[in-house]
Amino acid sequence: MTADNGRHAGMPAGDEPMPRGALADLRVIELAHERSAFAGKLFADMGADVILVEPPGGDAMRTYPPFLEDIPGAEHSLAFWHYHTSKRGIVLDLEREDGRAAFRRLVAGADVLIESEEPGRLEALGLEFTALQREHPRLITVSMAPFARNGPRAREQTTDLTLLAGGGPAWSCGYDDHTLPPVRGGGNQGYQTGCHYAFLGALTALLYRDRTGRGQHIDVDMHAAQNITTEAGSYTWLVAEQTVQRQTGRHAGVNPSPQSQVQCADGRWVTTGFPGRRGDDYRRLLGWLEEAGLLGEFVEAPLLELGTQHDRLDLSRIAVDDEVRAIFGAARSALVFLASRLPAYDFFTGGQSRNFQVGIIYSPEEVLEDPHFIARGFPVRVPHPELGRAFTYPGAPYLFHGSPWKIQRRAPLLGEHTEEVLREVGAGAAAG
Amino acid sequence: MASKALEHIRICDFTGQLAGAGATKYLAAFGAQVIRIEDPTNEGRWDILRGQQPFKDERQGINLGGSFNNHNTEKLGITLNLRTERGRELIRELVAISDVVSENFAAGVFDRLGLSYEDLRKIRPDIIYVSNCGFGHSGPYVNFKTWGPIVQAVSGLTFSSGLPEQPPAGWGYSYMDHTGGYYMAMAIMMAIHHRNVTGEGQWVDMSCTEAGASLNGPAMLDYTVNGRRLRRAGMPNSNRNQSPPMAPHGIYPAEGDDNWIAIACRNEDDWQALCSVVAEPWTADARFVDLTTRLAHEDELDEHVAAWTRARERFATAAALQAAGLPATAVQRPEERVDHDADTAEWGLWPTAHHTEMGDVRVDGLAVHLSESDWEITRGAACLGEHNEYVFGELLGVSPAELRSMKEEGVV
C-alpha cells in the first residue's frame, strides 16, 4: 500500500488541484556527475525544471548497479533512477562547438547551474561558471568541488569513501574494538552531505535574488561539509582540545559510555536509549515486564520497586550514591532484558508507547513496510511507462502543505528530452 | 554593495538541540534575525545542550556549554514564560512581525502552547511555520519520542553503516540532527521563496525519520524493484563499494596506534597506479588482474593491501598514492583536520565567535561561500535573556519599567 505520489495524509484531496512545488518557477541546468546528482534531485522533486546534461553515451552512473532485474543497461541503473527523478535529460557534446553553443542557449534561460567537473575542464571549454555568471547577472551558479576550488588540495582525487574518511565522520564511526577499522556510513552520505550544502547555498542565493534581482556564484567545499557534520567530533576539539573515540552503535566520546544496542529475540537489533530517572519511569518498566510475562525472571525487579519510591533520582550523585547507582543500573538492565526477550518491533512500539525513547534498527527497505511511514505517505509509486510498470520509491523528506514535494516523473532515458529542450531554447537538435 | 543574503528575514525560533538549532544557525550566519525564545522557569534547559560539556575552561554554567555555543552562533536570545498571560501576548506580537516560526518540540507541544498553525495564521496570515520532530505531526507514531540515534535507527541509516558479521556500527554522532537541521533550513527557505512568488505562507511538517529514510534510495529501490533486501548475508559492508563496484576499496591499518588510511581504486588506471606505488609481486597475481577477479578475491586482496599499508605512515602513503593519481587519504583525527588541514584553513572553516561569558571560541563554519552575500560568524550564542532589552524594548515597544516588572513577575 502506498500513497499517491506526492499526496500525503492531511493534504488536500478530491477535487482540489495539487498545488505546485515551491521551486516550480525555476529552471536548473545540471552537468551530470555522481557528486552533484543528489543536489539536482533536491531541486527537481520540489518542482524545478531540472535539465540533466549528459555526454554522448550517457552519464557514468548509468553503468552503476544495482540494475533492474540485474541486467546492465543504460536505462536499468537503480542508482541513476533514484538520483535523477523528476529531471529532464539531454545529451550534449561539450567537446564540440555546436554542443557548447547549445549549452550557452540553455544557460541564457536558466536560473541555476550546477557542476562538479574536474578542475580546469570548464575553463578549457570556455564555460567556466563564474564567467557565465558575470554574463548573466541573475544567474545562480554552483560549483561543487571535493576541496576548495582553487585551494591547496584542489587537485586531490576523492570518492565518497575518502571524503568521509578524511573529513571526520569515519573517525567517529565503527566499533568498540579498535582493531576493526573505522566505518564509512553507507549510502553515499559523503556526496549527499555535499549536495545538502549545494542546495542550501543555492536557496540562500535565491532568496537574495528574490530581493535584489542579482544572482551570484556559490562554491561548495565537500570536504568542509563533512568536517562540520561530525557533531562532537569537531566541537570537542574546538572547545576543549579533546579527542572523541568511536564506540559500537553510539556516540563517539572522550569517555566510554554504556552499551546501547541489543539483539532481540528475532535477531534484529534495537537501541535502548535512556531509561529515565523518575519513579514513574520505573513503575512503567515494572508494568511492561509484567505484561510481557517476564517480571518473575528479572532478578533486579526489587531495585526497580525501590526506584518507584523516588520522585526523581539525582543522577549527579550516581558516582557517590550506591542506591541511585543500583536503581539506575537496574533500569538499564530492564530495558536490555526486555529487548533480548522480545521481537524488535514489539520492543520498539512497546517501549515508545510507555514513553521510553527506544528505536528499532530497520534495514532501509523495512522502513517502506512500516505502518507509520505508509500512513504518512512516505513510499510513493512512480510510473515507468517505458516498462509498463510502476515502482515504489522513497518519498518526501518534508511535508509542505502549500507547495509539496513530488516525484514529477521517473529519471530520464538517455537523450529523452534532447530535441524537446533544444527546441524550447531555439538551439536546434543536432548538438548531441 | 555586498550585504547578507537573509538580512531581511526575521525568525521567531523555538528550536533547540542540534536538529532544530542547526537550521537556524545556518540562516543566522547569512544575516537572518533569529530570535530564540527560552523558558525562564527552567533556564532554557529544554535544550539539554545548554550548560553541557565540553567547556572551554574550568568554568561550568548554564551559559557556558560548548556545543550550545557552537549551534547557536549569531542568534538573539530572549526568555519568555508562555504560561503567563503577558508572555502569551508578547509571543503573539513577536509572531506578528516575524516571517517564520520554527520549532522542534515533540508533536503536540506547540499546539498546547496555543501556537498551532491555525493559531499562528490568525496572527499573521502569511506566516511560515516549520515544525521538525522525530516522526512528524501525524501517523501512528505521532507520540513517539526520538533523539538522533533513534532517528538514525528507525530510518535505516544505522543498519546501513557496518561491517559483515558485526552488529550495526551506526553513526558515532547524531548525523540526523545535523542533516535534519539542513532539511529544516531548506524547508524554511523554500517556503519563503514560495511566499515571495505567491504571497502565501504555509506549514511544513518535517519528520526527521522521513528525511533520514530519503537518504538510502538505491538500497530501497533494490528491494522494491528487485526484491533484494539489504538485510542479507554479508551485508551491509559499507567500507566496500557496491555501486559502482571497486576493488580494492576500504579503510586499511597504518603505522602507529589506531591509525588508518582509506584507498579507493575507481578503475583500471587507479589499480595500475596503486601497483606502481606498491611495487610488490602480489600485485601481478592472476587473481587481481581485473575488477572481476579482484572482486572475486576481495578478502585476499584486502589482506595484501593491509599488509602493505600497515607498515607505513598514513599521510606519506596517501600523498604517494595521490601523486600517482588515485583517491587516498589518512583517516583524520579531529586535531588533524581542524588544526593541520590546508583545505579547512584556506576555506576559513573554523571561525572564532565571541561569547559574552566564554570569550573567544572557535566554532563550525559553513561549507559554502557565496560570491556576493556570504555568511559571517563572529557572535557566540546568547546568554539567557541576553537580548531581552533589545527584542522587548526596541522591537515590541515594552517600556523599561514594564520590563522590570515582567522580570519580577517571572514573565521574562
Side-chain angles (χ1 to χ4, degrees):
Chain A
M1 189 180 96
T2 54
D4 290 350
N5 178 12
R7 189 183 297 284
H8 305 282
M11 289 184 47
D15 298 337
E16 287 181 56
M18 275 291 286
R20 301 201 314 165
L23 304 180
D25 59 319
L26 298 183
R27 174 170 287 181
V28 178
I29 312 297
E30 173 193 345
L31 286 177
H33 196 286
E34 63 173 20
R35 285 194 292 261
S36 51
F38 194 58
K41 175 177 167 67
L42 291 167
F43 276 101
D45 291 341
M46 285 304 294
D49 178 18
V50 176
I51 296 166
L52 179 72
V53 179
E54 297 183 72
D59 175 40
M61 197 190 289
R62 291 184 180 275
T63 68
Y64 293 3
F67 299 107
L68 168 67
E69 292 163 357
D70 294 333
I71 301 166
E75 312 303 351
H76 285 190
S77 165
L78 305 187
F80 191 90
W81 284 17
H82 173 69
Y83 283 112
H84 297 294
T85 55
S86 305
K87 302 176 189 177
R88 295 197 285 172
I90 71 172
V91 171
L92 282 185
D93 187 352
L94 298 181
E95 302 298 328
R96 288 171 35 163
E97 182 47 43
D98 56 354
R100 291 192 291 275
F103 184 75
R104 288 200 191 86
R105 299 290 288 260
L106 266 180
V107 167
D111 298 284
V112 179
L113 309 185
I114 305 171
E115 65 93 3
S116 191
E117 296 295 308
E118 298 315 303
R121 176 166 191 249
L122 292 178
E123 286 88 334
L125 294 172
L127 298 173
E128 200 268 318
F129 269 26
T130 61
L132 293 175
Q133 202 286 320
R134 279 191 296 274
E135 286 171 37
H136 303 280
R138 281 185 58 82
L139 193 60
I140 294 164
T141 52
V142 183
S143 290
M144 296 183 60
F147 297 96
R149 196 160 47 96
N150 298 311
R153 300 185 66 184
R155 303 249 158 203
E156 287 190 29
Q157 299 297 305
T158 59
T159 65
D160 180 74
L161 170 78
T162 67
L163 284 169
L164 286 163
W171 174 258
S172 292
C173 299
Y175 297 99
D176 294 312
D177 177 358
H178 283 201
T179 66
L180 293 170
V183 170
R184 167 181 72 149
N188 286 321
Q189 307 305 330
Y191 286 168
Q192 291 180 172
T193 295
C195 289
H196 292 149
Y197 270 95
F199 190 50
L200 283 166
L203 293 174
T204 311
L206 179 64
L207 294 189
Y208 181 77
R209 192 183 78 166
D210 283 351
R211 179 164 60 95
T212 64
R214 297 174 57 82
Q216 57 188 311
H217 179 73
I218 298 160
D219 278 312
V220 179
D221 177 337
M222 299 178 79
H223 173 64
Q226 317 310 317
N227 266 275
I228 54 169
T229 308
T230 70
E231 210 189 3
S234 292
Y235 67 64
T236 305
W237 183 260
L238 290 166
V239 176
E241 299 206 337
Q242 293 178 312
T243 301
V244 300
Q245 304 293 337
R246 63 189 184 277
Q247 313 189 88
T248 307
R250 56 203 196 277
H251 278 43
V254 176
N255 301 308
S257 64
Q259 295 285 342
S260 65
Q261 286 185 172
V262 181
Q263 193 163 25
C264 292
D266 62 355
R268 296 202 282 182
W269 293 80
V270 293
T271 181
T272 56
F274 178 81
R277 65 179 67 175
R278 291 174 299 133
D280 189 51
D281 293 322
Y282 308 138
R283 253 187 297 281
R284 280 181 280 108
L285 269 179
L286 285 164
W288 189 8
L289 285 160
E290 184 162 22
E291 281 173 54
L294 295 170
L295 185 57
E297 291 179 60
F298 183 62
V299 295
E300 294 174 79
L303 288 166
L304 289 183
E305 294 283 0
L306 187 59
T308 63
Q309 294 163 24
H310 289 256
D311 179 39
R312 183 187 170 91
L313 287 190
D314 181 359
L315 290 183
S316 66
R317 296 182 49 75
I318 197 160
V320 295
D321 186 325
D322 290 343
E323 184 171 317
V324 168
R325 188 164 60 248
I327 293 168
F328 193 70
R332 274 194 189 281
S333 301
L335 286 175
V336 171
F337 176 68
L338 280 158
S340 68
R341 299 295 294 273
L342 296 172
Y345 186 76
D346 293 359
F347 177 79
F348 165 53
T349 53
Q352 283 281 1
S353 62
R354 291 175 177 84
N355 211 22
F356 294 104
Q357 293 190 33
V358 299
I360 186 169
I361 297 175
Y362 273 144
S363 182
E365 68 277 3
E366 292 163 357
V367 176
L368 299 170
E369 301 167 329
D370 178 281
H372 178 82
F373 289 82
I374 291 170
R376 280 176 57 88
F378 182 77
V380 294
R381 293 290 281 179
V382 176
H384 277 249
E386 80 286 8
L387 300 169
R389 300 169 67 183
F391 299 101
T392 298
Y393 280 60
Y398 19 47
L399 299 192
F400 279 69
H401 286 270
S403 56
W405 181 99
K406 180 180 190 291
I407 292 181
Q408 304 183 64
R409 66 178 77 79
R410 53 118 176 90
L413 308 178
L414 182 58
E416 183 175 358
H417 305 97
T418 305
E419 283 192 34
E420 172 184 307
V421 169
L422 295 186
R423 202 167 48 240
E424 284 171 17
V425 299
Chain B
M1 173 61 196
S3 60
K4 290 191 179 169
L6 305 178
E7 64 187 19
H8 58 304
I9 302 295
R10 179 176 293 138
I11 299 179
C12 177
D13 184 27
F14 290 85
T15 65
Q17 329 289 351
L18 172 59
T24 51
K25 169 184 176 156
Y26 178 93
L27 303 169
F30 281 99
Q33 186 179 72
V34 175
I35 301 172
R36 202 171 180 285
I37 294 106
E38 298 186 274
D39 184 348
T41 65
N42 62 9
E43 296 189 307
R45 281 197 171 82
W46 172 76
D47 188 334
I48 56 170
L49 301 180
R50 207 183 220 305
Q52 284 289 331
Q53 61 179 5
F55 299 108
K56 185 191 168 204
D57 46 40
E58 68 287 349
R59 293 176 300 154
Q60 303 189 6
I62 193 68
N63 289 326
L64 299 172
S67 55
F68 182 86
N69 180 54
N70 190 69
H71 307 330
N72 289 288
T73 46
E74 292 293 326
K75 304 177 192 176
L76 305 179
I78 64 170
T79 51
L80 193 59
N81 184 349
L82 299 179
R83 284 172 292 274
T84 65
E85 189 52 42
R86 186 63 177 134
R88 283 193 294 272
E89 270 171 32
L90 284 167
I91 203 65
R92 297 171 103 74
E93 288 177 30
L94 188 57
V95 169
I97 59 167
S98 296
D99 301 280
V100 177
V101 175
S102 51
E103 56 102 349
N104 64 317
F105 295 123
V109 170
F110 223 51
D111 289 6
R112 289 196 290 278
L113 290 172
L115 295 170
S116 71
Y117 176 57
E118 289 309 315
D119 296 319
L120 294 170
R121 67 189 297 192
K122 279 180 204 145
I123 303 168
R124 178 165 171 154
D126 67 350
I127 197 74
I128 290 159
Y129 167 45
V130 180
S131 58
N132 176 13
C133 64
F135 288 103
H137 282 227
S138 66
Y141 304 162
V142 67
N143 293 318
F144 287 13
K145 309 291 193 299
T146 65
W147 62 305
I150 293 177
V151 170
Q152 288 146 210
V154 179
S155 61
L157 288 163
T158 301
F159 183 88
S160 57
S161 171
L163 303 177
E165 318 307 324
Q166 295 291 334
W171 291 78
Y173 55 96
S174 289
Y175 175 63
M176 277 316 296
D177 280 9
H178 277 292
T179 304
Y182 299 155
Y183 277 87
M184 191 178 191
M186 294 170 196
I188 290 170
M189 290 193 283
M190 284 192 280
I192 294 172
H193 177 68
H194 178 74
R195 188 199 63 182
N196 291 345
V197 172
T198 65
E200 293 167 6
Q202 65 180 304
W203 170 28
V204 183
D205 171 15
M206 242 198 81
S207 154
C208 219
T209 49
E210 287 170 354
S214 75
L215 300 175
N216 255 322
M220 287 183 173
L221 287 183
D222 201 17
Y223 174 64
T224 63
V225 174
N226 290 327
R228 185 185 293 116
R229 292 176 176 274
L230 190 61
R231 189 188 292 279
R232 65 182 192 268
M235 292 296 279
N237 193 347
S238 64
N239 281 1
R240 289 186 175 171
N241 220 57
Q242 292 84 29
S243 179
M246 302 185 204
H249 181 285
I251 295 179
Y252 302 94
E255 181 193 70
D257 178 30
D258 207 15
N259 285 341
W260 304 88
I261 180 170
I263 298 171
C265 277
R266 298 163 296 188
N267 49 41
E268 287 311 300
D269 287 350
D270 284 351
W271 168 245
Q272 291 305 326
L274 178 68
C275 293
S276 71
V277 175
V278 171
E280 291 182 357
W282 60 266
T283 58
D285 193 307
R287 290 173 301 170
F288 308 141
V289 68
D290 60 28
L291 178 63
T292 306
T293 61
R294 288 197 299 277
L295 288 169
H297 302 282
E298 203 169 355
D299 289 341
E300 302 100 295
L301 176 65
D302 278 348
E303 282 172 29
H304 281 293
V305 174
W308 181 75
T309 56
R310 186 175 284 118
R312 288 170 169 77
E313 198 281 321
R314 65 203 150 110
F315 285 96
T317 309
L321 295 175
Q322 285 283 354
L326 78 154
T329 179
V331 173
Q332 293 204 91
R333 288 174 163 74
E335 177 181 6
E336 292 158 348
R337 58 189 177 76
V338 171
D339 287 341
H340 307 291
D341 183 309
D343 182 76
T344 64
E346 160 88 10
W347 188 259
L349 190 61
W350 317 108
T352 296
H354 185 78
H355 182 280
T356 304
E357 292 187 12
M358 296 168 75
D360 287 343
V361 190
R362 287 189 299 169
V363 296
D364 290 342
L366 302 180
V368 289
H369 279 307
L370 274 60
S371 62
E372 180 159 320
S373 59
D374 206 11
W375 57 273
E376 186 178 27
I377 295 177
T378 60
R379 186 169 65 198
C383 296
L384 264 180
E386 184 168 348
H387 302 99
N388 281 353
E389 268 142 50
Y390 169 73
V391 172
F392 294 119
E394 294 202 27
L395 290 184
L396 300 181
V398 174
S399 71
E402 195 199 346
L403 196 54
R404 274 195 301 278
S405 73
M406 279 166 47
K407 211 169 212 169
E408 285 155 18
E409 291 157 17
V411 176
V412 302

